[in-house]
Amino acid sequence: MDRLANTVRPYAWGSTTAIPELLGVAPTGEPQAELWMGAHPGAPSRTPRGPLNEVVEADPVRELGAATVDRFGPRLPFLFKILAAGAPLSLQVHPDLAQARAGFAAEEAAGIPVEDTKRNYKDAYHKPELICALTPFDGLCGFRDPAETADLMAALDVDSLKPYVDLLRAHPEEAALREVLTALLTAEHGEMARTVAEAAAAAAQLGDAYAPYVRLAHDFPGDPGVIAAMLLNRVQLRPGEAMFLGAGVPHAYLDGLGVEIMANSDNVLRCGLTPKHVDVPELLRVVRFEPGEPNLLRPEASPSGEEVYDTPIDEFRLSRYVRAEGAAPTDITAAGPQILLATAGRPKAGEVTLAPGESVFVPAGEPTELSGTGMLFRATVVA
């Protein structure tokens, strides 16, 4: 197995302290948003054998296993991260596989450079993802019941919100959500800025249920995403709880430290809370206007001590081990590739002792035994 040296991505929304505290190092004063573990070409992990993407490309069957290569091609199919949100991320959705393939092909045919800020599809893959909280974690996910959003908006008593309130009380619900989101994203900028300011001033007087929107309005003044965020369920995860996000589900992370795993893609369509490009027609084509509860997960324990976060995705499988003093070693040899990440204590993968925040890549089929104490997350593919 290979000990990994991983890149920290300094996105502006990142916490300045959460990742340094986990790693036991001094903060730099700069935001540290994500620690990437994997073979994504944007920031591949480094190994003693070279960058992990190059290691995989040199012998994909040896590193990934024949079955993984047959199903997903000669690339590590998942990207593993530690995510530390100190400020809200953009409100966003991800395409399904068919949409990603079609969108990528269309933009390639149009000759739009991959680095163009107005490009939507960086690759031809989908990006389902799972976030598991390491600390209390606050976010928004999926459309709530439109009638509940209507009541939330109505309590603000802002005249310019009343047309949205009326629409949200109409049926069918899916059409109402589509019409409201379309209206928000296509409203005249000055008019929307006034609406956001009035809504934020009213929300500041109404208690905790409105606190996220007050914060969003402070961080993104005049942004239509502030009002769009009110359409979504608020989610507050406790440590160990997780949330799965499928294609077309609008979401935003607000605050907290977590372990995140996703299909190995960088395709994002933004709805707001960002200065970046928002392609409204393409966004509306990808969003699934289906109200419902977020897909929250708690780990399911097995006799081996592995606690699995069960998702409907084959490109990744996330589990964790919480090992007490004196626990017997556990065989975790797998037919596919693995990345093992310690988040507490000093667990051992084979002969490698891992401190919090440290990780290893384990090639397919390599005999691996887990020992020591602490908490370790295991990322692999579905067998």
Side-chain angles (χ1 to χ4, degrees):
M1 66 183 67
D2 296 299
R3 187 184 287 274
L4 298 179
N6 302 306
T7 298
V8 173
R9 307 309 297 263
Y11 306 135
W13 49 262
S15 167
T16 58
T17 59
I19 288 178
E21 286 178 4
L22 179 69
L23 299 177
V25 300
T28 64
E30 299 298 319
Q32 298 189 30
E34 295 179 346
L35 183 73
W36 284 27
M37 295 162 284
H40 192 285
S45 297
R46 301 174 300 283
T47 80
R49 296 185 287 157
L52 186 57
N53 57 331
E54 296 179 9
V55 170
V56 171
E57 289 166 6
D59 194 345
V61 172
R62 177 182 181 277
E63 304 299 333
L64 307 178
T68 298
V69 173
D70 287 345
R71 292 165 70 193
F72 306 114
R75 62 195 293 270
L76 186 65
F78 60 82
L79 176 61
F80 202 20
K81 300 179 181 180
I82 297 172
L83 182 146
L89 284 67
S90 61
L91 188 60
Q92 60 189 258
V93 297
H94 306 303
D96 64 25
L97 191 54
Q99 290 165 338
R101 287 172 173 168
F104 180 75
E107 291 184 331
E108 286 287 282
I112 303 172
V114 172
E115 64 273 11
D116 192 313
T117 57
K118 293 187 177 180
R119 179 155 176 163
N120 296 312
Y121 297 95
K122 309 297 185 183
D123 53 64
Y125 302 98
H126 63 165
K127 192 186 177 187
E129 60 190 40
L130 176 74
I131 183 77
C132 177
L134 294 177
T135 67
F137 196 93
D138 203 0
L140 305 168
C141 178
F143 291 110
R144 75 169 102 213
D145 184 324
E148 293 180 9
T149 299
D151 292 342
L152 195 72
M153 288 186 179
L156 295 172
D157 195 26
V158 172
D159 287 344
S160 54
L161 288 178
K162 290 178 181 177
Y164 304 130
V165 171
D166 292 339
L167 285 171
L168 289 167
R169 288 178 173 156
H171 292 278
E173 293 178 334
E174 291 82 358
L177 288 168
R178 177 181 289 275
E179 191 165 351
V180 169
L181 186 61
T182 302
L184 289 172
L185 297 181
T186 57
E188 193 272 326
H189 178 74
E191 177 185 333
M192 180 52 60
R194 288 188 292 274
T195 296
V196 171
E198 291 179 26
Q205 309 302 315
L206 293 177
D208 183 65
Y210 292 85
Y213 318 113
V214 175
R215 180 184 182 188
L216 292 176
H218 175 270
D219 290 345
F220 303 96
D223 193 308
V226 176
I227 308 300
M230 298 182 73
L231 299 172
L232 307 186
N233 298 290
R234 185 180 181 187
V235 178
Q236 294 176 291
L237 301 176
R238 293 173 293 187
E241 294 180 329
M243 176 169 63
F244 174 74
L245 301 157
V249 177
H251 61 279
Y253 301 147
L254 303 180
D255 185 75
L257 180 70
V259 169
E260 186 180 37
I261 188 168
M262 62 194 65
N264 193 2
S265 170
D266 200 23
N267 286 325
V268 176
L269 289 154
R270 296 174 179 85
C271 313
L273 309 180
T274 179
K276 295 182 180 179
H277 176 59
V278 177
D279 184 336
V280 175
E282 185 65 11
L283 171 73
L284 296 174
R285 193 177 73 84
V286 168
V287 171
R288 295 183 179 176
F289 291 95
E290 302 169 358
E293 295 296 319
N295 190 351
L296 304 185
L297 302 171
R298 292 179 175 81
E300 300 176 9
S302 69
S304 68
E306 184 180 30
E307 301 176 345
V308 180
Y309 294 90
D310 189 26
T311 64
I313 295 300
D314 289 343
E315 285 92 339
F316 62 75
R317 176 183 183 274
L318 182 69
S319 61
R320 71 173 185 177
Y321 290 84
V322 182
R323 294 184 53 82
E325 188 73 38
T330 304
D331 183 1
I332 58 170
T333 304
Q338 302 184 74
I339 293 179
L340 308 177
L341 165 70
T343 58
R346 295 185 68 83
K348 289 183 67 176
E351 298 302 314
V352 180
T353 300
L354 298 172
E358 294 183 340
S359 56
V360 292
F361 172 75
V362 185
E366 180 170 318
T368 307
E369 188 175 74
L370 178 62
S371 60
T373 61
M375 185 181 297
L376 181 137
F377 283 84
R378 180 191 195 195
T380 185
V381 297
V382 174

